[in-house]
Amino acid sequence: ANSKGVSMLGIATNIREPAQIAALFERVTSELGPLDILINNAGGQFPQPAIDFSVNGWNAVINNNLNGTWYMMQTAARHWRDTARPGVIVNVIAPVDRGMPGVAHSVAARAGVIGVMNTVAVEWAPLNIRVNCVVPGLTATAGLNVYPPEAVKEFPRANPMKRPGTPLEIAESCIFLASPNASFINGE
């Protein structure tokens, strides 16, 4: 437990590997107790024109951003179903409605997350499992370092606030969606 009395557990896990996810869930529940909330915020991509993607490059992003997210969602939902507990899933994804040149692989994966979220929100509602997405857009994190400075300089123009979001702002959105205050929000 830290100075605020909160227990934290860091476990390196390759979310592209269902066996590692199963081990993660087992360890979390044995060390911290029952799982209540899953925030899916893993992601990764590299900027490149889509015409130049290699098969391995495409698959790496799809496997991480779509398949890994799905494996986490399904494992959590099975846990809640099997223990007759309610649960909440919040997927943090990139905006996909206008496309994002240079990261078509990530856009495809994140659009898939939205599609599966729309479906399982309905399927899993009778199990008292809610599933939503947060789509923050540009957020000021170290992840921006993979993009050329001239591109980063232009990113805020796409946002009405003319600035990037902060990690805390995104985290607070996730906290709200996971809270009882958002108990009527599902599939959004």
Side-chain angles (χ1 to χ4, degrees), residues 61-145:
V61 173
I62 296 299
N63 283 335
N64 192 70
N65 294 2
L66 175 59
N67 296 340
T69 299
W70 167 246
Y71 299 146
M72 292 290 290
M73 291 172 64
Q74 185 183 46
T75 302
R78 286 176 173 172
H79 167 78
W80 292 319
R81 177 199 63 197
D82 295 347
T83 58
R85 294 181 57 87
V88 177
I89 299 171
V90 180
N91 300 305
V92 181
I93 63 170
V96 299
D97 56 336
R98 294 182 303 198
M100 293 173 58
V103 289
H105 44 14
S106 189
V107 170
R110 299 312 189 169
V113 171
I114 292 170
V116 78
M117 179 269 307
N118 285 330
T119 300
V120 299
V122 174
E123 283 188 23
W124 297 347
L127 299 172
N128 204 13
I129 299 170
R130 294 186 299 109
V131 187
N132 291 290
C133 289
V134 169
V135 189
L138 180 69
T139 306
T141 68
L144 294 179
N145 295 340

Side-chain angles (χ1 to χ4, degrees), residues 151-176:
V152 173
K153 190 174 111 184
E154 293 297 316
F155 288 159
R157 292 182 53 201
N159 179 312
M161 300 304 291
K162 305 296 184 214
R163 68 167 180 84
T166 68
L168 182 59
E169 288 172 317
I170 308 317
E172 288 177 342
S173 298
C174 295
I175 291 167
F176 167 71

